[in-house]
Amino acid sequence: MKNFYLPEAAKIIEVVREAPNVKWFKVRFVNKKIQQNFHFWHGQFAMVGLPGYDEAPFDICSNPLRSTEYIEFTIRKVGRLTSRLVQLQKGDLLWIRGPFGRGWPSLFKLPKKNLLVVGGGCGFVPLRSVIEEAAEQLSSERQLQVFYGCRNTEELLFENRYKDWQKKGVKLNVIFSEEKPRNKTVYGAPCSYGLVTKLFDEVEIIKNASAFLCGPPVMFKFVLKKLKEKKFADQDIYLSLERKMDCGIGICQHCACGEIYICKDGPVFNYAEIKNIPNIF
Ligand SMILES: Cc1cc2nc3c(=O)[nH]c(=O)nc-3n(C[C@H](O)[C@H](O)[C@H](O)COP(=O)(O)OP(=O)(O)OC[C@H]3O[C@@H](n4cnc5c(N)ncnc54)[C@H](O)[C@@H]3O)c2cc1C
Ligand code: FES
């Protein structure tokens, strides 16, 4: 039986500097059997740690269809552990427990055929695994629209993936909140200036869609208002929430919010489930 308390060593096989304090890591478990049997669901997280430092939750941002080959994380330097993690190089080890939590629902089980993904800042990280997987499954019947709000060009995440996503049919729009873009496109994606909510007025929204959201708490309030204006039902909206976590498996209470635990009942919730919980965002 799998022991969720036991961290497994993983080797870094690629590192990319995404933004001034953000690095993307591709890793593979040292034990080949563990990698071959590793499966996660988009939107799930893992506890990543370093002996002598700490461990903390990080979203798995790779394509779940490649989970038996490698996994990817995108880490922002904010404190003790993350300052050390972003210094790691190709060939270094880190330790992983998981995957944990409830992720985004299966794209094939959603009552609506199409998907609108809205991400703000680092909230774009857990949405990347959805985009990577959905982009491989798009057809003339099933469309994916992505709105990504970011501060400026320097902070842009995953720009080396935009052309590939768009080639596969993803409709991607980027919007900068702090910098007027010099061109109308950024890495092939239409780009404008303002908050991510402005895209709801600038761009035609795909019909018959569910919405997946992740971003800073203030973003949820305003994006939800726009979705309501566009007649999205509560049941068709899913959000990924973040809280400080310790155990990641519903034991320590660090992430408790009323009757729910963000770590095991979430981090992804249907809006109808949580909309009446006070201070949930
Ligand atoms: C489900 C989940 C998924 C996450 N995914 C990612 C990810 O993909 N990439 C990423 O870079 N980070 C992610 N985080 C946040 C990450 O876990 C924290 O940044 C990390 O714990 C910081 O550890 P530290 O030792 O470097 O900072 P600390 O020294 O512990 O703290 C530094 C500062 O960051 C604040 N902080 C710590 N944790 C959080 C948090 N969860 N939310 C808000 N503020 C916090 C502290 O209050 C403090 O001000 C995720 C968190 C959760 C709960
Ligand atoms: S992190 Fe321990 S209960 Fe959720």
Side-chain angles (χ1 to χ4, degrees):
M1 198 180 101
K2 186 174 166 154
N3 183 347
F4 283 107
Y5 295 99
L6 188 68
E8 289 292 341
K11 188 176 265 188
I12 296 171
I13 50 175
E14 204 180 331
V15 187
V16 172
R17 177 194 177 275
E18 288 283 339
N21 282 318
V22 183
K23 288 218 176 130
W24 166 92
F25 297 91
K26 182 185 251 187
V27 309
R28 192 171 284 142
F29 286 105
V30 173
N31 182 327
K32 281 189 185 154
K33 275 206 177 132
I34 289 181
Q35 186 66 64
Q36 283 158 6
N37 291 315
F38 189 80
H39 294 283
F40 71 94
W41 194 250
H42 43 37
Q44 284 193 299
F45 63 93
M47 299 300 283
V48 177
L50 289 172
Y53 282 86
D54 198 351
E55 68 165 7
F58 295 93
D59 297 297
I60 306 174
C61 67
S62 41
N63 186 341
L65 301 174
R66 307 279 173 277
S67 61
T68 56
E69 298 163 42
Y70 56 81
I71 40 180
E72 295 165 352
F73 297 99
T74 302
I75 297 178
R76 177 180 292 275
K77 173 181 160 184
V78 291
R80 189 165 173 262
L81 173 68
T82 48
S83 298
R84 181 70 194 109
L85 285 172
V86 297
Q87 287 173 4
L88 298 179
Q89 309 283 336
K90 186 174 169 180
D92 289 340
L93 296 181
L94 41 75
W95 275 260
I96 297 175
R97 291 193 295 129
F100 296 127
R102 178 177 64 167
W104 306 101
S106 161
L107 305 177
F108 293 98
K109 290 194 181 148
L110 290 169
K112 301 284 156 74
K113 274 190 192 158
N114 299 323
L115 181 62
L116 170 66
V117 162
V118 185
C122 261
F124 200 46
V125 172
L127 293 166
R128 183 180 180 261
S129 64
V130 176
I131 300 169
E132 293 288 359
E133 184 177 356
E136 290 202 14
Q137 296 163 337
L138 293 182
S139 63
S140 52
E141 301 274 286
R142 187 176 287 275
Q143 294 175 50
L144 171 61
Q145 184 168 39
V146 178
F147 288 171
Y148 170 32
C150 176
R151 292 221 298 261
N152 52 45
T153 335
E154 273 229 301
E155 293 292 327
L156 209 57
L157 298 179
F158 316 131
E159 62 264 29
N160 57 354
R161 300 294 302 128
Y162 299 174
K163 289 209 168 129
D164 189 42
W165 292 345
Q166 291 178 97
K167 243 187 256 164
K168 288 175 175 156
V170 177
K171 294 169 193 235
L172 169 67
N173 283 83
V174 177
I175 188 157
F176 292 142
S177 59
E178 278 182 359
E179 167 189 282
K180 285 203 168 156
R182 266 171 254 136
N183 301 309
K184 285 192 176 156
T185 59
V186 59
Y187 299 93
C191 184
S192 53
Y193 173 60
L195 298 174
V196 75
T197 40
K198 199 170 158 222
L199 290 173
F200 284 80
D201 304 319
E202 285 179 356
V203 181
E204 195 182 337
I205 310 284
I206 44 168
K207 306 264 181 305
N208 191 23
S210 302
F212 288 3
L213 322 181
C214 190
V218 63
M219 186 197 97
F220 286 131
K221 192 174 149 201
F222 293 102
V223 171
L224 284 166
K225 195 163 165 254
K226 285 289 179 190
L227 288 170
K228 290 281 124 193
E229 280 170 28
K230 301 285 175 191
K231 310 281 181 241
F232 277 72
D234 293 347
Q235 292 81 354
D236 293 328
I237 302 172
Y238 296 83
L239 316 95
S240 180
L241 304 181
E242 216 184 84
R243 283 290 187 285
K244 286 197 91 174
M245 290 185 187
D246 209 344
C247 68
I249 49 176
I251 293 171
C252 72
Q253 300 267 337
H254 264 76
C255 69
C257 199
E259 297 205 336
I260 58 165
Y261 293 98
I262 306 291
C263 68
K264 74 175 173 66
D265 301 321
V268 175
F269 293 91
N270 184 272
Y271 182 48
E273 269 182 283
I274 54 158
K275 67 176 200 174
N276 295 322
I277 300 177
N279 304 319
I280 190 71
F281 299 135

